[in-house]
Amino acid sequence: MTGKVAANVCEQEAGIAQTAMAEIVHAVLSPGEFALFAQFGQQRRLPEGDHLFRRGHPGDTMYVIVSGAIELDFGEDLLVKTLGANEFFGELGLLIGDHPRSADARAVADSVVLELDNGDFQRLVERDPGLIAYFLRRTIMRVVSNEQVLIRQLRRRNHDLETALDNLYVTTHQLTHTRELVRTDELTGLHNRRGLALYLQECRAHQDGPPQGLLLIDCDRFKQVNDEHGHQAGDRVLQSVANILRSVATEADLACRLGGDEFCLLLRAADADSLQHAAEFIQSAVHGLMDRAHGLPHMCPISIGVSLLDPHTDWSEWYARADNALYQAKRLGGNRLHWSRAATATP
């Protein structure tokens, strides 16, 4: 036998086997089986729309359709099956007894079914054990096949769910990243003005209330750094200021680049002493970087306006007071801190 002929024979045998399996698994009674079942089953008429049973309810009977059509709805996103004449269902309830139904069974047309209980089935076994043995074999194979189909469906659903969760994670990550970009200054990584506005909104809703202290910081002679050394040098200066403010701020505080070479530091819990200490630390860190500079500058002098905050006023009032103090520091030559006259306590 040549390889081609052998392959054809194998394909024919596989086709015969598949046909035989389909006949075993398919839930249709042969004419002989139907005639035997009809001798012992009780006929029951179902108007269109009526239910034989509901999913999850226990049952101990099986059914054979004489005429009409019955729909089996397994729920969720599983397939809905519609059965016709000579097809049977519910056999696990008969064989196991009080087995929870796995589907809703509803007549989708005026129908007649044979209903068989355990006593009816015992009489079937006594009448033709060989035929019933073949029926049981088919039933078992059908249950196994249905379970395999269900497993594949569940695997597909799990895969779809994992894909959906992955997409949700990516989308959430993108939204979080976008939100951070919206509120973050690209050059320094500090909050920008929008981030400041959102922070102030969060403060109003927070039980600890608004921040208590504000440092308004401005670089002295920053334009000179840009003009003499280029904008990259200027960017390095701004990043150095940002790093110093970041090192001072706690999780509850906010360091922000307001724009250009102007920064602010809002301290959630502060008094005159802690504000003075924070401003002096910033000045000291700036001087340390300036002393270590060789060649291109990494820092320039800064001026700081310091203000304790009135919780009954808003940002515009806070800014105006700190800005007035900053103006006074600049007017006095810069490279210093100055307190707002409106501060409740001045060192």
Short mmCIF file of all heavy atoms in Angstrom, two decimals, residues 93-157:
data_model
loop_
_atom_site.label_atom_id
_atom_site.label_comp_id
_atom_site.label_asym_id
_atom_site.label_seq_id
_atom_site.Cartn_x
_atom_site.Cartn_y
_atom_site.Cartn_z
N GLY A 93 -30.28 14.37 35.94
CA GLY A 93 -31.22 14.38 37.05
C GLY A 93 -31.83 13.01 37.29
O GLY A 93 -32.00 12.57 38.42
N LEU A 94 -32.10 12.30 36.21
CA LEU A 94 -32.67 10.96 36.32
C LEU A 94 -31.63 9.98 36.87
O LEU A 94 -31.92 9.17 37.75
CB LEU A 94 -33.15 10.49 34.95
CG LEU A 94 -33.66 9.05 34.86
CD1 LEU A 94 -34.94 8.89 35.65
CD2 LEU A 94 -33.89 8.64 33.41
N LEU A 95 -30.42 10.03 36.35
CA LEU A 95 -29.40 9.04 36.72
C LEU A 95 -28.79 9.31 38.09
O LEU A 95 -28.45 8.37 38.82
CB LEU A 95 -28.30 9.04 35.66
CG LEU A 95 -28.74 8.67 34.23
CD1 LEU A 95 -27.58 8.81 33.27
CD2 LEU A 95 -29.32 7.26 34.19
N ILE A 96 -28.64 10.59 38.48
CA ILE A 96 -28.01 10.92 39.75
C ILE A 96 -29.04 11.14 40.86
O ILE A 96 -28.85 10.74 41.99
CB ILE A 96 -27.11 12.17 39.59
CG1 ILE A 96 -25.99 11.88 38.57
CG2 ILE A 96 -26.52 12.60 40.92
CD1 ILE A 96 -25.13 13.07 38.27
N GLY A 97 -30.16 11.73 40.50
CA GLY A 97 -31.20 12.02 41.48
C GLY A 97 -30.99 13.36 42.16
O GLY A 97 -29.92 13.63 42.71
N ASP A 98 -32.00 14.22 42.12
CA ASP A 98 -31.92 15.56 42.71
C ASP A 98 -30.68 16.32 42.28
O ASP A 98 -30.02 16.98 43.08
CB ASP A 98 -31.97 15.48 44.24
CG ASP A 98 -33.36 15.10 44.75
OD1 ASP A 98 -34.33 15.40 44.03
OD2 ASP A 98 -33.45 14.52 45.83
N HIS A 99 -30.34 16.22 41.00
CA HIS A 99 -29.17 16.90 40.47
C HIS A 99 -29.54 18.33 40.09
O HIS A 99 -30.56 18.55 39.41
CB HIS A 99 -28.66 16.14 39.23
CG HIS A 99 -27.45 16.77 38.61
ND1 HIS A 99 -26.22 16.74 39.21
CD2 HIS A 99 -27.29 17.45 37.44
CE1 HIS A 99 -25.35 17.36 38.44
NE2 HIS A 99 -25.97 17.80 37.37
N PRO A 100 -28.77 19.33 40.53
CA PRO A 100 -29.10 20.72 40.16
C PRO A 100 -29.07 20.90 38.64
O PRO A 100 -28.12 20.51 37.98
CB PRO A 100 -27.99 21.54 40.83
CG PRO A 100 -27.48 20.67 41.93
CD PRO A 100 -27.59 19.27 41.42
N ARG A 101 -30.14 21.46 38.13
CA ARG A 101 -30.21 21.69 36.68
C ARG A 101 -29.16 22.72 36.28
O ARG A 101 -28.96 23.73 36.97
CB ARG A 101 -31.60 22.19 36.28
CG ARG A 101 -32.75 21.27 36.67
CD ARG A 101 -32.67 19.94 35.97
NE ARG A 101 -33.91 19.17 36.14
CZ ARG A 101 -34.11 17.96 35.69
NH1 ARG A 101 -33.12 17.34 35.02
NH2 ARG A 101 -35.26 17.34 35.87
N SER A 102 -28.50 22.47 35.15
CA SER A 102 -27.44 23.37 34.69
C SER A 102 -27.96 24.43 33.72
O SER A 102 -27.18 25.27 33.26
CB SER A 102 -26.34 22.56 34.00
OG SER A 102 -26.86 21.81 32.91
N ALA A 103 -29.27 24.40 33.41
CA ALA A 103 -29.81 25.37 32.45
C ALA A 103 -31.29 25.60 32.73
O ALA A 103 -31.95 24.81 33.43
CB ALA A 103 -29.63 24.86 31.02
N ASP A 104 -31.79 26.71 32.21
CA ASP A 104 -33.23 26.93 32.14
C ASP A 104 -33.76 26.18 30.93
O ASP A 104 -33.17 26.27 29.84
CB ASP A 104 -33.56 28.41 31.99
CG ASP A 104 -33.26 29.21 33.26
OD1 ASP A 104 -33.15 28.58 34.33
OD2 ASP A 104 -33.11 30.44 33.15
N ALA A 105 -34.86 25.45 31.10
CA ALA A 105 -35.49 24.74 29.97
C ALA A 105 -36.84 25.39 29.69
O ALA A 105 -37.73 25.37 30.55
CB ALA A 105 -35.66 23.26 30.29
N ARG A 106 -36.97 25.99 28.50
CA ARG A 106 -38.18 26.76 28.16
C ARG A 106 -38.67 26.37 26.78
O ARG A 106 -37.87 26.18 25.85
CB ARG A 106 -37.86 28.25 28.19
CG ARG A 106 -39.04 29.18 27.93
CD ARG A 106 -38.61 30.64 28.04
NE ARG A 106 -37.70 30.98 26.96
CZ ARG A 106 -38.09 31.47 25.78
NH1 ARG A 106 -39.39 31.65 25.52
NH2 ARG A 106 -37.20 31.77 24.86
N ALA A 107 -39.99 26.22 26.66
CA ALA A 107 -40.58 25.91 25.36
C ALA A 107 -40.56 27.16 24.49
O ALA A 107 -41.07 28.21 24.90
CB ALA A 107 -42.01 25.40 25.52
N VAL A 108 -39.96 27.06 23.30
CA VAL A 108 -39.94 28.20 22.38
C VAL A 108 -41.02 28.05 21.31
O VAL A 108 -41.13 28.88 20.41
CB VAL A 108 -38.55 28.35 21.72
CG1 VAL A 108 -37.51 28.76 22.74
CG2 VAL A 108 -38.12 27.06 21.03
N ALA A 109 -41.81 26.99 21.43
CA ALA A 109 -42.99 26.76 20.60
C ALA A 109 -43.89 25.83 21.39
O ALA A 109 -43.46 25.20 22.36
CB ALA A 109 -42.61 26.14 19.25
N ASP A 110 -45.16 25.76 21.03
CA ASP A 110 -46.03 24.79 21.66
C ASP A 110 -45.41 23.40 21.50
O ASP A 110 -45.12 22.97 20.37
CB ASP A 110 -47.42 24.82 21.05
CG ASP A 110 -48.15 26.14 21.36
OD1 ASP A 110 -47.75 26.82 22.32
OD2 ASP A 110 -49.11 26.48 20.63
N SER A 111 -45.20 22.71 22.61
CA SER A 111 -44.41 21.48 22.56
C SER A 111 -45.08 20.37 23.37
O SER A 111 -45.90 20.62 24.27
CB SER A 111 -43.00 21.72 23.11
OG SER A 111 -42.36 22.76 22.43
N VAL A 112 -44.67 19.13 23.03
CA VAL A 112 -45.06 17.95 23.80
C VAL A 112 -43.79 17.19 24.12
O VAL A 112 -42.94 16.98 23.24
CB VAL A 112 -46.02 17.04 23.00
CG1 VAL A 112 -46.36 15.78 23.81
CG2 VAL A 112 -47.30 17.78 22.62
N VAL A 113 -43.62 16.83 25.41
CA VAL A 113 -42.42 16.11 25.84
C VAL A 113 -42.84 14.84 26.58
O VAL A 113 -43.94 14.76 27.15
CB VAL A 113 -41.53 16.97 26.76
CG1 VAL A 113 -41.03 18.20 26.02
CG2 VAL A 113 -42.25 17.37 28.03
N LEU A 114 -41.94 13.85 26.55
CA LEU A 114 -42.08 12.67 27.39
C LEU A 114 -41.30 12.90 28.67
O LEU A 114 -40.13 13.29 28.63
CB LEU A 114 -41.53 11.43 26.69
CG LEU A 114 -42.28 10.94 25.44
CD1 LEU A 114 -41.52 9.78 24.80
CD2 LEU A 114 -43.70 10.50 25.79
N GLU A 115 -41.93 12.67 29.80
CA GLU A 115 -41.28 12.84 31.08
C GLU A 115 -41.08 11.46 31.72
O GLU A 115 -42.03 10.69 31.85
CB GLU A 115 -42.13 13.73 31.99
CG GLU A 115 -41.47 14.11 33.29
CD GLU A 115 -42.32 15.12 34.06
OE1 GLU A 115 -43.56 14.93 34.10
OE2 GLU A 115 -41.77 16.08 34.59
N LEU A 116 -39.83 11.17 32.10
CA LEU A 116 -39.52 9.86 32.67
C LEU A 116 -38.82 10.04 34.01
O LEU A 116 -37.85 10.78 34.11
CB LEU A 116 -38.61 9.05 31.74
CG LEU A 116 -39.19 8.67 30.36
CD1 LEU A 116 -38.66 9.62 29.30
CD2 LEU A 116 -38.86 7.23 30.01
N ASP A 117 -39.33 9.32 35.04
CA ASP A 117 -38.68 9.35 36.34
C ASP A 117 -37.90 8.05 36.54
O ASP A 117 -37.79 7.22 35.62
CB ASP A 117 -39.70 9.58 37.45
CG ASP A 117 -40.78 8.50 37.49
OD1 ASP A 117 -40.55 7.39 36.93
OD2 ASP A 117 -41.85 8.75 38.07
N ASN A 118 -37.38 7.84 37.76
CA ASN A 118 -36.53 6.68 38.01
C ASN A 118 -37.29 5.38 37.84
O ASN A 118 -36.75 4.39 37.31
CB ASN A 118 -35.95 6.77 39.43
CG ASN A 118 -34.90 5.72 39.67
OD1 ASN A 118 -35.18 4.68 40.26
ND2 ASN A 118 -33.67 5.97 39.20
N GLY A 119 -38.55 5.34 38.26
CA GLY A 119 -39.35 4.12 38.09
C GLY A 119 -39.56 3.78 36.63
O GLY A 119 -39.45 2.61 36.22
N ASP A 120 -39.84 4.80 35.82
CA ASP A 120 -40.00 4.58 34.38
C ASP A 120 -38.71 4.03 33.79
O ASP A 120 -38.74 3.11 32.95
CB ASP A 120 -40.37 5.89 33.69
CG ASP A 120 -41.69 6.46 34.18
OD1 ASP A 120 -42.58 5.68 34.53
OD2 ASP A 120 -41.80 7.71 34.21
N PHE A 121 -37.56 4.58 34.21
CA PHE A 121 -36.30 4.14 33.63
C PHE A 121 -35.98 2.69 34.02
O PHE A 121 -35.41 1.94 33.23
CB PHE A 121 -35.16 5.08 34.08
CG PHE A 121 -33.90 4.92 33.30
CD1 PHE A 121 -33.82 5.39 32.00
CD2 PHE A 121 -32.81 4.28 33.84
CE1 PHE A 121 -32.66 5.23 31.26
CE2 PHE A 121 -31.64 4.12 33.11
CZ PHE A 121 -31.57 4.60 31.82
N GLN A 122 -36.31 2.32 35.27
CA GLN A 122 -36.08 0.94 35.67
C GLN A 122 -36.86 -0.03 34.80
O GLN A 122 -36.38 -1.11 34.42
CB GLN A 122 -36.48 0.76 37.14
CG GLN A 122 -35.55 1.45 38.13
CD GLN A 122 -34.13 0.92 38.04
OE1 GLN A 122 -33.89 -0.27 37.83
NE2 GLN A 122 -33.17 1.83 38.19
N ARG A 123 -38.09 0.32 34.45
CA ARG A 123 -38.89 -0.53 33.56
C ARG A 123 -38.27 -0.59 32.17
O ARG A 123 -38.33 -1.62 31.49
CB ARG A 123 -40.33 -0.02 33.51
CG ARG A 123 -41.10 -0.30 34.81
CD ARG A 123 -42.58 0.00 34.66
NE ARG A 123 -42.83 1.44 34.58
CZ ARG A 123 -42.98 2.22 35.63
NH1 ARG A 123 -42.91 1.72 36.86
NH2 ARG A 123 -43.22 3.50 35.50
N LEU A 124 -37.65 0.53 31.71
CA LEU A 124 -36.96 0.52 30.43
C LEU A 124 -35.79 -0.46 30.46
O LEU A 124 -35.57 -1.23 29.51
CB LEU A 124 -36.42 1.92 30.10
CG LEU A 124 -37.41 2.98 29.60
CD1 LEU A 124 -36.74 4.34 29.55
CD2 LEU A 124 -37.93 2.62 28.22
N VAL A 125 -35.04 -0.45 31.56
CA VAL A 125 -33.90 -1.36 31.69
C VAL A 125 -34.36 -2.81 31.66
O VAL A 125 -33.75 -3.68 31.00
CB VAL A 125 -33.13 -1.06 33.00
CG1 VAL A 125 -32.03 -2.11 33.23
CG2 VAL A 125 -32.51 0.33 32.94
N GLU A 126 -35.44 -3.08 32.35
CA GLU A 126 -35.96 -4.45 32.37
C GLU A 126 -36.47 -4.88 31.01
O GLU A 126 -36.33 -6.05 30.63
CB GLU A 126 -37.07 -4.55 33.41
CG GLU A 126 -36.60 -4.36 34.85
CD GLU A 126 -37.75 -4.21 35.83
OE1 GLU A 126 -38.91 -4.29 35.38
OE2 GLU A 126 -37.48 -3.99 37.03
N ARG A 127 -37.03 -3.96 30.24
CA ARG A 127 -37.60 -4.32 28.95
C ARG A 127 -36.48 -4.58 27.93
O ARG A 127 -36.55 -5.56 27.17
CB ARG A 127 -38.52 -3.20 28.45
CG ARG A 127 -39.06 -3.38 27.04
CD ARG A 127 -39.96 -4.64 26.93
NE ARG A 127 -41.11 -4.51 27.79
CZ ARG A 127 -42.26 -3.92 27.42
NH1 ARG A 127 -42.35 -3.43 26.20
NH2 ARG A 127 -43.26 -3.86 28.25
N ASP A 128 -35.48 -3.71 27.83
CA ASP A 128 -34.43 -3.89 26.81
C ASP A 128 -33.10 -3.40 27.37
O ASP A 128 -32.66 -2.28 27.10
CB ASP A 128 -34.80 -3.12 25.54
CG ASP A 128 -33.98 -3.53 24.34
OD1 ASP A 128 -32.85 -4.01 24.55
OD2 ASP A 128 -34.45 -3.36 23.20
N PRO A 129 -32.43 -4.23 28.19
CA PRO A 129 -31.18 -3.79 28.82
C PRO A 129 -30.08 -3.44 27.81
O PRO A 129 -29.27 -2.56 28.05
CB PRO A 129 -30.77 -4.97 29.70
CG PRO A 129 -31.52 -6.13 29.14
CD PRO A 129 -32.79 -5.60 28.60
N GLY A 130 -30.00 -4.17 26.68
CA GLY A 130 -28.97 -3.89 25.68
C GLY A 130 -29.13 -2.51 25.08
O GLY A 130 -28.15 -1.76 24.94
N LEU A 131 -30.36 -2.16 24.73
CA LEU A 131 -30.63 -0.84 24.13
C LEU A 131 -30.35 0.27 25.14
O LEU A 131 -29.76 1.30 24.80
CB LEU A 131 -32.08 -0.78 23.65
CG LEU A 131 -32.46 0.46 22.81
CD1 LEU A 131 -31.69 0.45 21.51
CD2 LEU A 131 -33.96 0.47 22.55
N ILE A 132 -30.74 0.06 26.40
CA ILE A 132 -30.52 1.06 27.43
C ILE A 132 -29.03 1.20 27.74
O ILE A 132 -28.53 2.30 28.01
CB ILE A 132 -31.32 0.73 28.69
CG1 ILE A 132 -32.83 0.75 28.36
CG2 ILE A 132 -31.02 1.72 29.80
CD1 ILE A 132 -33.31 2.06 27.76
N ALA A 133 -28.30 0.09 27.70
CA ALA A 133 -26.85 0.16 27.92
C ALA A 133 -26.20 1.04 26.86
O ALA A 133 -25.31 1.85 27.16
CB ALA A 133 -26.24 -1.24 27.92
N TYR A 134 -26.62 0.90 25.61
CA TYR A 134 -26.07 1.73 24.55
C TYR A 134 -26.47 3.19 24.76
O TYR A 134 -25.67 4.11 24.57
CB TYR A 134 -26.57 1.23 23.19
CG TYR A 134 -26.05 2.03 22.02
CD1 TYR A 134 -24.71 2.03 21.69
CD2 TYR A 134 -26.93 2.80 21.24
CE1 TYR A 134 -24.23 2.77 20.62
CE2 TYR A 134 -26.46 3.55 20.17
CZ TYR A 134 -25.11 3.51 19.87
OH TYR A 134 -24.65 4.25 18.82
N PHE A 135 -27.72 3.41 25.22
CA PHE A 135 -28.19 4.77 25.51
C PHE A 135 -27.33 5.39 26.62
O PHE A 135 -26.94 6.57 26.53
CB PHE A 135 -29.66 4.73 25.92
CG PHE A 135 -30.15 6.01 26.53
CD1 PHE A 135 -30.45 7.11 25.75
CD2 PHE A 135 -30.28 6.13 27.92
CE1 PHE A 135 -30.88 8.30 26.31
CE2 PHE A 135 -30.71 7.32 28.49
CZ PHE A 135 -31.00 8.41 27.69
N LEU A 136 -27.04 4.61 27.66
CA LEU A 136 -26.23 5.14 28.76
C LEU A 136 -24.83 5.46 28.29
O LEU A 136 -24.23 6.45 28.74
CB LEU A 136 -26.20 4.13 29.91
CG LEU A 136 -27.52 3.97 30.69
CD1 LEU A 136 -27.37 2.86 31.72
CD2 LEU A 136 -27.92 5.28 31.35
N ARG A 137 -24.27 4.63 27.43
CA ARG A 137 -22.94 4.90 26.90
C ARG A 137 -22.94 6.23 26.16
O ARG A 137 -22.03 7.06 26.32
CB ARG A 137 -22.49 3.77 25.99
CG ARG A 137 -21.07 3.97 25.43
CD ARG A 137 -20.74 2.92 24.42
NE ARG A 137 -19.44 3.20 23.80
CZ ARG A 137 -19.12 2.90 22.56
NH1 ARG A 137 -19.99 2.29 21.78
NH2 ARG A 137 -17.92 3.19 22.07
N ARG A 138 -23.93 6.41 25.35
CA ARG A 138 -24.04 7.67 24.61
C ARG A 138 -24.19 8.84 25.56
O ARG A 138 -23.61 9.92 25.38
CB ARG A 138 -25.22 7.63 23.66
CG ARG A 138 -25.05 6.66 22.51
CD ARG A 138 -26.37 6.40 21.81
NE ARG A 138 -26.94 7.66 21.33
CZ ARG A 138 -28.25 7.82 21.08
NH1 ARG A 138 -29.08 6.83 21.29
NH2 ARG A 138 -28.68 8.96 20.62
N THR A 139 -24.98 8.66 26.61
CA THR A 139 -25.21 9.73 27.58
C THR A 139 -23.92 10.13 28.27
O THR A 139 -23.62 11.32 28.42
CB THR A 139 -26.25 9.27 28.62
OG1 THR A 139 -27.50 9.00 27.95
CG2 THR A 139 -26.46 10.33 29.69
N ILE A 140 -23.14 9.12 28.69
CA ILE A 140 -21.86 9.41 29.35
C ILE A 140 -20.92 10.15 28.41
O ILE A 140 -20.27 11.13 28.79
CB ILE A 140 -21.22 8.11 29.86
CG1 ILE A 140 -22.08 7.52 30.98
CG2 ILE A 140 -19.80 8.36 30.36
CD1 ILE A 140 -21.66 6.13 31.40
N MET A 141 -20.85 9.67 27.15
CA MET A 141 -19.97 10.33 26.19
C MET A 141 -20.43 11.77 25.94
O MET A 141 -19.60 12.67 25.77
CB MET A 141 -19.97 9.55 24.87
CG MET A 141 -19.34 8.16 24.98
SD MET A 141 -17.58 8.24 25.42
CE MET A 141 -16.91 9.07 24.01
N ARG A 142 -21.73 11.98 25.93
CA ARG A 142 -22.25 13.33 25.70
C ARG A 142 -21.91 14.24 26.88
O ARG A 142 -21.54 15.41 26.70
CB ARG A 142 -23.75 13.29 25.49
CG ARG A 142 -24.34 14.60 24.95
CD ARG A 142 -25.74 14.40 24.49
NE ARG A 142 -26.64 14.25 25.61
CZ ARG A 142 -27.28 15.28 26.20
NH1 ARG A 142 -27.07 16.50 25.76
NH2 ARG A 142 -28.11 15.08 27.18
N VAL A 143 -22.02 13.72 28.10
CA VAL A 143 -21.68 14.52 29.28
C VAL A 143 -20.21 14.91 29.23
O VAL A 143 -19.84 16.06 29.47
CB VAL A 143 -22.00 13.74 30.56
CG1 VAL A 143 -21.41 14.47 31.78
CG2 VAL A 143 -23.50 13.58 30.72
N VAL A 144 -19.33 13.92 28.89
CA VAL A 144 -17.90 14.21 28.80
C VAL A 144 -17.64 15.26 27.73
O VAL A 144 -16.87 16.20 27.92
CB VAL A 144 -17.11 12.92 28.51
CG1 VAL A 144 -15.66 13.25 28.20
CG2 VAL A 144 -17.21 11.96 29.68
N SER A 145 -18.30 15.11 26.58
CA SER A 145 -18.11 16.06 25.48
C SER A 145 -18.58 17.46 25.88
O SER A 145 -17.90 18.46 25.62
CB SER A 145 -18.87 15.59 24.24
OG SER A 145 -18.79 16.54 23.20
N ASN A 146 -19.73 17.53 26.56
CA ASN A 146 -20.25 18.83 26.99
C ASN A 146 -19.32 19.48 28.00
O ASN A 146 -19.10 20.69 27.99
CB ASN A 146 -21.65 18.68 27.59
CG ASN A 146 -22.70 18.39 26.53
OD1 ASN A 146 -22.49 18.64 25.35
ND2 ASN A 146 -23.82 17.83 26.94
N GLU A 147 -18.75 18.65 28.90
CA GLU A 147 -17.81 19.18 29.88
C GLU A 147 -16.57 19.73 29.19
O GLU A 147 -16.02 20.77 29.59
CB GLU A 147 -17.42 18.09 30.89
CG GLU A 147 -18.53 17.71 31.86
CD GLU A 147 -18.96 18.89 32.73
OE1 GLU A 147 -18.08 19.67 33.15
OE2 GLU A 147 -20.18 19.03 32.97
N GLN A 148 -16.10 19.02 28.16
CA GLN A 148 -14.94 19.50 27.43
C GLN A 148 -15.22 20.82 26.73
O GLN A 148 -14.38 21.74 26.72
CB GLN A 148 -14.49 18.45 26.42
CG GLN A 148 -13.90 17.20 27.06
CD GLN A 148 -13.61 16.11 26.05
OE1 GLN A 148 -14.15 16.12 24.94
NE2 GLN A 148 -12.76 15.16 26.44
N VAL A 149 -16.43 20.91 26.15
CA VAL A 149 -16.82 22.17 25.50
C VAL A 149 -16.89 23.29 26.54
O VAL A 149 -16.41 24.42 26.31
CB VAL A 149 -18.18 22.01 24.79
CG1 VAL A 149 -18.71 23.37 24.33
CG2 VAL A 149 -18.06 21.06 23.61
N LEU A 150 -17.47 22.97 27.72
CA LEU A 150 -17.59 23.97 28.78
C LEU A 150 -16.21 24.43 29.25
O LEU A 150 -15.96 25.62 29.45
CB LEU A 150 -18.38 23.40 29.94
CG LEU A 150 -18.58 24.32 31.15
CD1 LEU A 150 -19.31 25.58 30.75
CD2 LEU A 150 -19.32 23.59 32.27
N ILE A 151 -15.28 23.47 29.40
CA ILE A 151 -13.92 23.82 29.82
C ILE A 151 -13.26 24.74 28.80
O ILE A 151 -12.60 25.73 29.17
CB ILE A 151 -13.09 22.53 30.02
CG1 ILE A 151 -13.58 21.78 31.27
CG2 ILE A 151 -11.61 22.87 30.16
CD1 ILE A 151 -12.96 20.41 31.43
N ARG A 152 -13.44 24.42 27.50
CA ARG A 152 -12.86 25.29 26.48
C ARG A 152 -13.46 26.69 26.53
O ARG A 152 -12.75 27.69 26.39
CB ARG A 152 -13.07 24.67 25.09
CG ARG A 152 -12.19 23.46 24.81
CD ARG A 152 -12.17 23.15 23.33
NE ARG A 152 -13.47 22.73 22.85
CZ ARG A 152 -13.91 21.49 22.82
NH1 ARG A 152 -13.13 20.50 23.27
NH2 ARG A 152 -15.11 21.19 22.35
N GLN A 153 -14.79 26.75 26.75
CA GLN A 153 -15.44 28.05 26.85
C GLN A 153 -14.93 28.84 28.05
O GLN A 153 -14.68 30.05 27.96
CB GLN A 153 -16.95 27.88 26.93
CG GLN A 153 -17.59 27.40 25.62
CD GLN A 153 -19.09 27.16 25.77
OE1 GLN A 153 -19.56 26.82 26.84
NE2 GLN A 153 -19.81 27.34 24.69
N LEU A 154 -14.78 28.13 29.18
CA LEU A 154 -14.29 28.81 30.38
C LEU A 154 -12.86 29.28 30.20
O LEU A 154 -12.49 30.37 30.65
CB LEU A 154 -14.40 27.87 31.58
CG LEU A 154 -15.82 27.55 32.05
CD1 LEU A 154 -15.80 26.53 33.18
CD2 LEU A 154 -16.55 28.82 32.50
N ARG A 155 -12.04 28.45 29.53
CA ARG A 155 -10.67 28.88 29.26
C ARG A 155 -10.65 30.11 28.38
O ARG A 155 -9.85 31.03 28.59
CB ARG A 155 -9.90 27.73 28.60
CG ARG A 155 -9.48 26.62 29.57
CD ARG A 155 -8.82 25.48 28.84
NE ARG A 155 -8.36 24.45 29.76
CZ ARG A 155 -7.91 23.26 29.36
NH1 ARG A 155 -7.86 22.95 28.07
NH2 ARG A 155 -7.51 22.38 30.27
N ARG A 156 -11.52 30.10 27.37
CA ARG A 156 -11.59 31.26 26.48
C ARG A 156 -12.06 32.50 27.25
O ARG A 156 -11.53 33.60 27.06
CB ARG A 156 -12.53 30.97 25.32
CG ARG A 156 -12.57 32.10 24.28
CD ARG A 156 -13.23 31.64 22.99
NE ARG A 156 -14.58 31.16 23.21
CZ ARG A 156 -14.95 29.89 23.11
NH1 ARG A 156 -14.06 28.97 22.81
NH2 ARG A 156 -16.21 29.54 23.31
N ARG A 157 -13.04 32.30 28.13
CA ARG A 157 -13.51 33.42 28.94
C ARG A 157 -12.41 33.93 29.86
O ARG A 157 -12.24 35.14 30.03
CB ARG A 157 -14.72 33.00 29.77
CG ARG A 157 -16.01 32.81 28.99
CD ARG A 157 -17.11 32.29 29.87
NE ARG A 157 -17.31 33.16 31.00
CZ ARG A 157 -17.95 32.80 32.13
NH1 ARG A 157 -18.40 31.58 32.24
NH2 ARG A 157 -18.10 33.66 33.11
#
